[in-house]
Amino acid sequence: MTEILRESRHGGLAALGSRRAGAVDWRRALTGAVREAAAWASGAVDYTYQWPSRRSQVLRGVVLPRLRQPVPRVAIVVGTSGSMSDGRLAVALAEVSGVLRAVGIGGNRVTVLSCDAAVQVVRPVHTVGEVRLAGGGGTDMRVGVTEALRHRPHIIVVLTDGYTPWPATPPESARVIAGLIGADAPAPPDWITTVRIDDLADVNPPAQR
């Protein structure tokens, strides 16, 4: 069974569906979760002086800032503990990349962090081929999320088998989405939006250059 859960930022839990595994199910759930987080991020307007407000034309000698709607930045934290196969991670990364493109996030807006019990690699990427995975030790997604926040993302996507400690409280500046790989992955805290990914084929990962 593919169990698809949507958990609110404030702790509410609602089942979107529990249905016989179909590849489209979790991809649709992941796309919906990213779209919602992107919509939330787009509402986080900020001020900029790059394009002054039209009101500056009325007030001579006064330059007023203008409201700017940011394009969401995304950090993908990839759990690379010894229990995670490179093949499944490669497939999951490719799927997440496709979801981000589908919702219009790309270019220099994505940073991938490779993390086991410590952050091993941090790399801005344009394509999945630029991702570098390293690790193979224990698992602690707390350090991955903490490091990701240093890059000021609006959305953090965590790919993990779920056997990890999590941050105790939600970040104020970002939405967190967990892609749990494996049917038996333990659930994260209820403030994390969760998509269960249990139908990935284990393939040979792309060769590292």
PDB file of all heavy atoms in Angstrom, residues 4 13 26 33 55 71 73 82 106 134 148 151 197-198 203:
ATOM      1  N   ILE A   4      -0.400   8.003   1.785  1.00  0.00           N
ATOM      2  CA  ILE A   4      -0.087   9.389   1.514  1.00  0.00           C
ATOM      3  C   ILE A   4      -0.682  10.238   2.615  1.00  0.00           C
ATOM      4  O   ILE A   4      -1.878  10.218   2.851  1.00  0.00           O
ATOM      5  CB  ILE A   4      -0.644   9.837   0.151  1.00  0.00           C
ATOM      6  CG1 ILE A   4      -0.071   8.938  -0.944  1.00  0.00           C
ATOM      7  CG2 ILE A   4      -0.299  11.282  -0.145  1.00  0.00           C
ATOM      8  CD1 ILE A   4      -0.681   9.171  -2.288  1.00  0.00           C
ATOM      9  N   LEU A  13      -3.295  16.587  11.225  1.00  0.00           N
ATOM     10  CA  LEU A  13      -2.978  15.460  10.364  1.00  0.00           C
ATOM     11  C   LEU A  13      -4.219  15.052   9.607  1.00  0.00           C
ATOM     12  O   LEU A  13      -5.264  14.829  10.195  1.00  0.00           O
ATOM     13  CB  LEU A  13      -2.475  14.271  11.199  1.00  0.00           C
ATOM     14  CG  LEU A  13      -2.224  12.956  10.463  1.00  0.00           C
ATOM     15  CD1 LEU A  13      -1.112  13.141   9.463  1.00  0.00           C
ATOM     16  CD2 LEU A  13      -1.872  11.861  11.444  1.00  0.00           C
ATOM     17  N   TRP A  26       2.262   8.754  -5.166  1.00  0.00           N
ATOM     18  CA  TRP A  26       3.172   9.538  -4.342  1.00  0.00           C
ATOM     19  C   TRP A  26       3.770  10.699  -5.130  1.00  0.00           C
ATOM     20  O   TRP A  26       4.076  11.751  -4.557  1.00  0.00           O
ATOM     21  CB  TRP A  26       4.255   8.656  -3.720  1.00  0.00           C
ATOM     22  CG  TRP A  26       5.281   8.087  -4.651  1.00  0.00           C
ATOM     23  CD1 TRP A  26       5.301   6.830  -5.170  1.00  0.00           C
ATOM     24  CD2 TRP A  26       6.449   8.738  -5.141  1.00  0.00           C
ATOM     25  NE1 TRP A  26       6.406   6.660  -5.966  1.00  0.00           N
ATOM     26  CE2 TRP A  26       7.132   7.817  -5.959  1.00  0.00           C
ATOM     27  CE3 TRP A  26       6.993  10.006  -4.963  1.00  0.00           C
ATOM     28  CZ2 TRP A  26       8.331   8.122  -6.602  1.00  0.00           C
ATOM     29  CZ3 TRP A  26       8.191  10.330  -5.612  1.00  0.00           C
ATOM     30  CH2 TRP A  26       8.844   9.385  -6.410  1.00  0.00           C
ATOM     31  N   ALA A  33       2.454  18.802  -2.475  1.00  0.00           N
ATOM     32  CA  ALA A  33       3.122  19.347  -1.296  1.00  0.00           C
ATOM     33  C   ALA A  33       4.078  20.470  -1.672  1.00  0.00           C
ATOM     34  O   ALA A  33       4.145  21.509  -1.005  1.00  0.00           O
ATOM     35  CB  ALA A  33       3.873  18.238  -0.561  1.00  0.00           C
ATOM     36  N   ARG A  55       5.434  55.424  -5.418  1.00  0.00           N
ATOM     37  CA  ARG A  55       5.151  56.526  -4.516  1.00  0.00           C
ATOM     38  C   ARG A  55       6.335  57.478  -4.387  1.00  0.00           C
ATOM     39  O   ARG A  55       6.180  58.618  -3.958  1.00  0.00           O
ATOM     40  CB  ARG A  55       4.758  55.990  -3.130  1.00  0.00           C
ATOM     41  CG  ARG A  55       3.414  55.277  -3.109  1.00  0.00           C
ATOM     42  CD  ARG A  55       3.138  54.727  -1.726  1.00  0.00           C
ATOM     43  NE  ARG A  55       4.117  53.686  -1.379  1.00  0.00           N
ATOM     44  CZ  ARG A  55       4.298  53.217  -0.149  1.00  0.00           C
ATOM     45  NH1 ARG A  55       3.589  53.705   0.854  1.00  0.00           N
ATOM     46  NH2 ARG A  55       5.176  52.270   0.081  1.00  0.00           N
ATOM     47  N   VAL A  71      11.074  34.302  -5.697  1.00  0.00           N
ATOM     48  CA  VAL A  71      10.994  32.973  -6.293  1.00  0.00           C
ATOM     49  C   VAL A  71      11.525  31.991  -5.244  1.00  0.00           C
ATOM     50  O   VAL A  71      12.606  32.203  -4.695  1.00  0.00           O
ATOM     51  CB  VAL A  71      11.834  32.883  -7.579  1.00  0.00           C
ATOM     52  CG1 VAL A  71      11.825  31.462  -8.125  1.00  0.00           C
ATOM     53  CG2 VAL A  71      11.331  33.875  -8.606  1.00  0.00           C
ATOM     54  N   ARG A  73      13.361  29.397  -2.986  1.00  0.00           N
ATOM     55  CA  ARG A  73      14.622  28.655  -2.978  1.00  0.00           C
ATOM     56  C   ARG A  73      14.384  27.317  -2.286  1.00  0.00           C
ATOM     57  O   ARG A  73      13.641  27.245  -1.302  1.00  0.00           O
ATOM     58  CB  ARG A  73      15.714  29.438  -2.232  1.00  0.00           C
ATOM     59  CG  ARG A  73      16.160  30.715  -2.917  1.00  0.00           C
ATOM     60  CD  ARG A  73      17.282  31.382  -2.138  1.00  0.00           C
ATOM     61  NE  ARG A  73      16.846  31.764  -0.812  1.00  0.00           N
ATOM     62  CZ  ARG A  73      16.267  32.920  -0.519  1.00  0.00           C
ATOM     63  NH1 ARG A  73      16.050  33.810  -1.480  1.00  0.00           N
ATOM     64  NH2 ARG A  73      15.898  33.203   0.715  1.00  0.00           N
ATOM     65  N   GLY A  82      24.250   4.311   5.847  1.00  0.00           N
ATOM     66  CA  GLY A  82      24.548   3.002   5.296  1.00  0.00           C
ATOM     67  C   GLY A  82      23.324   2.197   4.911  1.00  0.00           C
ATOM     68  O   GLY A  82      23.407   1.268   4.100  1.00  0.00           O
ATOM     69  N   GLY A 106      13.866  26.117 -10.509  1.00  0.00           N
ATOM     70  CA  GLY A 106      15.062  25.545 -11.114  1.00  0.00           C
ATOM     71  C   GLY A 106      16.165  26.572 -11.134  1.00  0.00           C
ATOM     72  O   GLY A 106      16.255  27.433 -10.261  1.00  0.00           O
ATOM     73  N   ALA A 134      27.690  11.569  -0.712  1.00  0.00           N
ATOM     74  CA  ALA A 134      28.788  11.026   0.084  1.00  0.00           C
ATOM     75  C   ALA A 134      28.239  10.686   1.461  1.00  0.00           C
ATOM     76  O   ALA A 134      27.252  11.260   1.909  1.00  0.00           O
ATOM     77  CB  ALA A 134      29.931  12.034   0.199  1.00  0.00           C
ATOM     78  N   ALA A 148      20.938  23.298   6.054  1.00  0.00           N
ATOM     79  CA  ALA A 148      20.114  23.789   4.944  1.00  0.00           C
ATOM     80  C   ALA A 148      19.589  25.194   5.232  1.00  0.00           C
ATOM     81  O   ALA A 148      19.547  26.057   4.340  1.00  0.00           O
ATOM     82  CB  ALA A 148      18.953  22.829   4.690  1.00  0.00           C
ATOM     83  N   HIS A 151      21.324  28.387   4.175  1.00  0.00           N
ATOM     84  CA  HIS A 151      21.233  28.821   2.779  1.00  0.00           C
ATOM     85  C   HIS A 151      19.904  29.522   2.483  1.00  0.00           C
ATOM     86  O   HIS A 151      19.589  29.780   1.333  1.00  0.00           O
ATOM     87  CB  HIS A 151      21.442  27.616   1.863  1.00  0.00           C
ATOM     88  CG  HIS A 151      22.788  26.973   2.042  1.00  0.00           C
ATOM     89  ND1 HIS A 151      23.890  27.327   1.296  1.00  0.00           N
ATOM     90  CD2 HIS A 151      23.208  26.031   2.927  1.00  0.00           C
ATOM     91  CE1 HIS A 151      24.936  26.623   1.701  1.00  0.00           C
ATOM     92  NE2 HIS A 151      24.544  25.817   2.685  1.00  0.00           N
ATOM     93  N   ILE A 197       7.282   7.112   0.005  1.00  0.00           N
ATOM     94  CA  ILE A 197       7.750   6.644  -1.293  1.00  0.00           C
ATOM     95  C   ILE A 197       8.178   5.193  -1.127  1.00  0.00           C
ATOM     96  O   ILE A 197       9.254   4.911  -0.614  1.00  0.00           O
ATOM     97  CB  ILE A 197       8.934   7.501  -1.793  1.00  0.00           C
ATOM     98  CG1 ILE A 197       8.542   8.972  -1.845  1.00  0.00           C
ATOM     99  CG2 ILE A 197       9.435   7.017  -3.152  1.00  0.00           C
ATOM    100  CD1 ILE A 197       9.713   9.913  -2.137  1.00  0.00           C
ATOM    101  N   ASP A 198       7.309   4.257  -1.524  1.00  0.00           N
ATOM    102  CA  ASP A 198       7.635   2.857  -1.259  1.00  0.00           C
ATOM    103  C   ASP A 198       7.623   1.985  -2.514  1.00  0.00           C
ATOM    104  O   ASP A 198       7.573   0.778  -2.426  1.00  0.00           O
ATOM    105  CB  ASP A 198       6.687   2.270  -0.218  1.00  0.00           C
ATOM    106  CG  ASP A 198       5.230   2.281  -0.673  1.00  0.00           C
ATOM    107  OD1 ASP A 198       4.971   2.625  -1.833  1.00  0.00           O
ATOM    108  OD2 ASP A 198       4.362   1.923   0.149  1.00  0.00           O
ATOM    109  N   VAL A 203      18.039   1.008  -8.784  1.00  0.00           N
ATOM    110  CA  VAL A 203      18.759   1.005 -10.051  1.00  0.00           C
ATOM    111  C   VAL A 203      20.211   1.380  -9.797  1.00  0.00           C
ATOM    112  O   VAL A 203      20.586   1.850  -8.739  1.00  0.00           O
ATOM    113  CB  VAL A 203      18.138   2.019 -11.038  1.00  0.00           C
ATOM    114  CG1 VAL A 203      16.694   1.657 -11.310  1.00  0.00           C
ATOM    115  CG2 VAL A 203      18.249   3.442 -10.510  1.00  0.00           C
TER     116      VAL A 203
END
